[in-house]
Amino acid sequence: MECPHLTASVCIVPDSAAFPSGCPSSWCCSVCRSNKSPWVCLTCSSVHCGRYVNGHAKKHYEEAQTPLLNHKQHEKVEREKTQHTVCMDCSSYSTYCYRCDDFVVNDTKLCLVQKVREHLQNLENSAFTVERHRKRKFSDNTSLNKKVLKMNGSTSAICATGLRNLGNTCFMNAILQSLSNIQQFSCYFKELPAVELRNGKTAGRRIYHTRSQGEVNVSLVEEFRKTLCALWLGTQTAFSPESLFYVVWKIMPSFRGYQQQDAHEFMRYLLDHLHLELQGDSDGSSQSIMSQETANRSSSSKCCINGANTVVTSVFGGVLQNEVNCLICGTESRKFDPFLDLSLDIPSQFRNKRKNQENGPTCSLKDCLRSFTDLEELDETELYMCLKCKKKQKSTKKFWIQKLPKVLCLHLKRFHWTAYLRNKVDTYVEFPLQGLDMKCFLLEPENMGPESCLYDLAAVVVHHGSGVGSGHYTAYATHEGRWFHFNDSTVTLTEEETVMKAKAYILFYVERPVPASPEKL
């Protein structure tokens, strides 16, 4: 938004003497000394922690305003000069106005906000360079779980990049890291040509805060492409996805704000909107830009995969056959439903297991799949409208997989509504890292080859905590034969055993390539 308070609030001049020493993203709050989510006041250059730590940045603004309530008329001039209303995130360089209660996209006439932003980034880069040189001296002694991996006597550096948490955005970071490690999906976007949305004076310039690119057109595909390209460059330890997050705010209203969100719901909306925007490219246009009207229309509807085929549907798209049988007259109804992912219940016999039953049978992913595809009788609230009986009747339902996707996304339904709250099912579900065989769940398995139904795990999203509105999301993903743990800005190498012990929430399985048959002589 265009903030009217910048002229009165932005008073500091970019100068190293005006700021604390060290790396800006690690600056400590002047009150509680926490180095998490530091924000610098653009009036007095004091550093405080964000609202999701101890909220001292907001308290700094409030304390500056309180004495002004009863001031005389001539003192109101001083209030307009120094209001301490505008601050900047020391990690993502985004600017926020507490008086407007929103992020800021404009600048002062002297471009002080941009100058401060560039100065902070220079300080960050300088500190990072010094730290990188220091770490190189100790690289030979670095363990497997650090930033260097020793394999077969050679040392190779991790080029993976973390994603900065912009305020409870771990749900988005976990999904983005998972999708970035699905090669046939991410490579498509990384190979797309860049789209320059900015015009005029800013054309060709790199701007960290791209929210000034307009209120009418935004491109989710372009910001998604930029994010994927940044994740494996190896040029920085963490990337700030604020431009992508801003587009998400604009076209997905339900994800606005800084409250915790459901990672699965976000993934579905993200894939749906990427699919819708990419369909706009089917006419041969060189860039894909979603208008605000289209975004509002699509965000109000449920996730769909209709229309022209895109990389979303070609990679994640499968087809279910839904069979419903009337128990009164025996009429059978068949319907084919496309899907991007399958939501699986954890069977009740495992879901209700108590602590003293920990040594009992372990729930497996195959148990969840069988529960999904098993024949079930619909209850009284789901009576089937039988065309032959011409009224709602009791019936049975069964799912078959008619077509498997290239990437099989399995969502374990860990959150269930009770009378007043949403509880989490914390049951451990055993899943294979390699060789998930889906043949027994197919409608016509006899038409499939022996190795055409095998899937290998590519990524896992894990929810830590007790509720969907709280807790924390991380992701495990494999890249070039190594497993990584993505925890926001922190990326570490991990072992397969650690991955297998995770209580998975979303699993991404990639179809195993079928070996070419030898040519007949």
Side-chain angles (χ1 to χ4, degrees):
M1 57 150 289
E2 299 283 337
C3 174
H5 310 116
L6 291 184
T7 303
S9 297
V10 182
C11 305
I12 60 175
V13 178
D15 184 3
S16 297
F19 298 101
S21 59
C23 184
S25 61
S26 300
W27 283 347
C28 296
C29 173
S30 59
V31 178
C32 65
R33 308 308 298 168
S34 171
N35 63 352
K36 295 181 180 179
S37 184
W39 291 73
V40 59
C41 175
L42 297 189
T43 299
C44 63
S45 72
S46 61
V47 178
H48 297 89
C49 59
R51 66 178 69 193
Y52 295 104
V53 184
N54 292 314
H56 287 125
K58 186 176 182 181
K59 291 177 183 177
H60 174 68
Y61 156 71
E62 293 171 344
E63 290 171 357
Q65 306 308 303
T66 303
L68 301 173
L69 297 177
N70 299 319
H71 274 193
K72 296 179 181 179
Q73 187 67 31
H74 70 276
E75 292 177 320
K76 291 183 179 179
V77 178
E78 290 299 319
R79 180 182 62 181
E80 294 298 324
K81 289 182 180 179
T82 56
Q83 294 180 331
H84 303 268
T85 63
V86 181
C87 57
M88 181 178 290
D89 188 335
C90 300
S91 298
S92 64
Y93 314 117
S94 57
T95 310
Y96 192 87
C97 176
Y98 281 110
R99 197 167 181 184
C100 298
D101 196 24
D102 203 349
F103 284 92
V104 178
V105 299
N106 56 317
D107 205 339
T108 65
K109 292 182 179 180
L110 298 177
C111 297
L112 289 178
V113 174
Q114 181 63 20
K115 289 179 180 178
V116 172
R117 183 177 292 121
E118 292 174 352
H119 184 70
L120 292 185
Q121 202 225 7
N122 289 334
L123 292 177
E124 183 83 21
N125 291 339
S126 299
F128 174 73
T129 302
V130 172
E131 182 68 11
R132 183 173 57 184
H133 286 305
R134 186 186 69 82
K135 286 184 177 181
R136 282 179 179 175
K137 297 179 181 179
F138 304 98
S139 61
D140 292 337
N141 297 324
T142 307
S143 64
L144 180 66
N145 291 326
K146 301 299 180 182
K147 282 290 180 181
V148 172
L149 173 68
K150 290 186 177 181
M151 296 182 66
N152 299 324
S154 63
T155 303
S156 58
I158 296 177
C159 59
T161 301
L163 285 169
R164 290 194 176 99
N165 193 314
L166 306 179
N168 279 334
T169 56
C170 56
F171 69 93
M172 178 179 74
N173 293 346
I175 294 298
L176 293 177
Q177 294 286 13
S178 299
L179 295 178
S180 75
N181 286 283
I182 298 174
Q183 297 305 315
Q184 57 263 60
F185 184 70
S186 62
C187 287
Y188 172 86
F189 289 93
K190 288 189 284 188
E191 292 171 1
L192 287 176
V195 177
E196 183 57 61
L197 296 179
R198 297 182 292 279
N199 298 311
K201 296 181 180 179
T202 60
R205 285 180 57 193
R206 182 183 179 189
I207 297 180
Y208 300 101
H209 200 290
T210 59
R211 297 177 180 179
S212 57
Q213 61 193 28
E215 296 294 327
V216 179
N217 294 325
V218 292
S219 174
L220 178 64
V221 170
E222 171 64 3
E223 296 303 335
F224 186 67
R225 182 196 69 82
K226 289 179 183 177
T227 302
L228 294 184
C229 288
L231 288 181
W232 288 97
L233 289 177
T235 57
Q236 52 187 333
T237 56
F239 174 76
S240 178
E242 63 161 4
S243 297
L244 174 61
F245 193 41
Y246 170 68
V247 176
V248 169
W249 275 27
K250 290 204 55 99
I251 66 178
M252 306 179 201
S254 59
F255 293 96
R256 291 175 185 169
Y258 293 96
Q259 65 273 23
Q260 182 66 280
Q261 302 280 0
D262 187 302
H264 174 252
E265 184 180 0
F266 171 75
M267 182 200 72
R268 285 302 313 269
Y269 273 92
L270 176 66
L271 293 178
D272 181 46
H273 282 81
L274 288 172
H275 173 66
L276 289 172
E277 188 174 327
L278 287 169
Q279 286 185 81
D281 279 352
S282 59
D283 59 355
S285 59
S286 60
Q287 56 178 310
S288 56
I289 300 178
M290 178 177 285
S291 69
Q292 190 63 43
E293 181 182 355
T294 303
N296 290 337
R297 183 173 65 250
S298 61
S299 64
S300 62
S301 61
K302 292 184 178 181
C303 295
C304 63
I305 53 174
N306 299 320
N309 191 39
T310 67
V311 66
V312 175
T313 52
S314 65
V315 170
F316 292 97
V319 179
L320 284 175
Q321 178 175 293
N322 183 359
E323 293 182 359
V324 179
N325 285 276
C326 176
L327 292 176
I328 306 301
C329 67
T331 300
E332 184 180 272
S333 172
R334 295 181 181 179
K335 186 174 68 170
F336 292 96
D337 297 316
F339 68 87
L340 294 180
D341 69 303
L342 298 178
S343 291
L344 311 178
D345 278 307
I346 297 175
S348 58
Q349 65 267 32
F350 301 105
R351 189 166 65 235
N352 299 327
K353 187 165 61 174
R354 298 178 181 177
K355 291 184 179 179
N356 58 2
Q357 297 176 304
E358 287 297 326
N359 295 326
T362 301
C363 180
S364 69
L365 187 59
K366 283 289 186 75
D367 292 324
C368 299
L369 285 165
R370 277 191 287 266
S371 176
F372 178 78
T373 56
D374 278 349
L375 185 71
E376 66 169 320
E377 184 174 337
L378 300 177
D379 57 30
E380 295 293 334
T381 61
E382 299 178 296
L383 293 179
Y384 164 65
M385 183 64 189
C386 180
L387 297 178
K388 187 174 182 179
C389 300
K390 296 184 179 180
K391 64 177 181 178
K392 291 185 177 180
Q393 301 282 26
K394 287 187 175 183
S395 58
T396 59
K397 180 179 70 173
K398 180 174 176 58
F399 283 120
W400 293 96
I401 298 178
Q402 197 267 340
K403 175 183 175 294
L404 283 166
K406 295 177 182 176
V407 175
L408 180 63
C409 179
L410 301 176
H411 160 237
L412 298 179
K413 296 164 73 171
R414 291 195 174 274
F415 300 105
H416 291 268
W417 283 104
T418 59
Y420 300 102
L421 61 137
R422 201 177 185 187
N423 290 328
K424 180 181 177 181
V425 179
D426 206 36
T427 304
Y428 170 72
V429 177
E430 188 178 53
F431 54 89
L433 292 185
Q434 295 180 331
L436 174 65
D437 192 352
M438 295 295 295
K439 191 169 185 177
C440 59
F441 306 108
L442 284 175
L443 179 63
E444 298 176 340
E446 64 276 5
N447 295 334
M448 305 299 291
E451 296 187 23
S452 58
C453 302
L454 296 179
Y455 285 80
D456 298 325
L457 189 65
V460 187
V461 174
V462 181
H463 178 268
H464 311 267
S466 58
V468 67
S470 60
H472 183 60
Y473 286 99
T474 64
Y476 294 96
T478 180
H479 183 79
E480 296 181 351
R482 296 180 290 175
W483 279 96
F484 294 84
H485 183 217
F486 298 92
N487 183 4
D488 286 336
S489 58
T490 303
V491 182
T492 55
L493 282 163
T494 190
E495 303 283 354
E496 289 186 351
E497 291 76 12
T498 303
V499 180
M500 295 177 67
K501 292 177 182 178
K503 293 183 179 179
Y505 182 46
I506 305 173
L507 297 141
F508 296 89
Y509 279 93
V510 177
E511 184 182 36
R512 182 180 294 181
V514 179
S517 57
E519 295 183 2
K520 296 182 180 181
L521 297 177

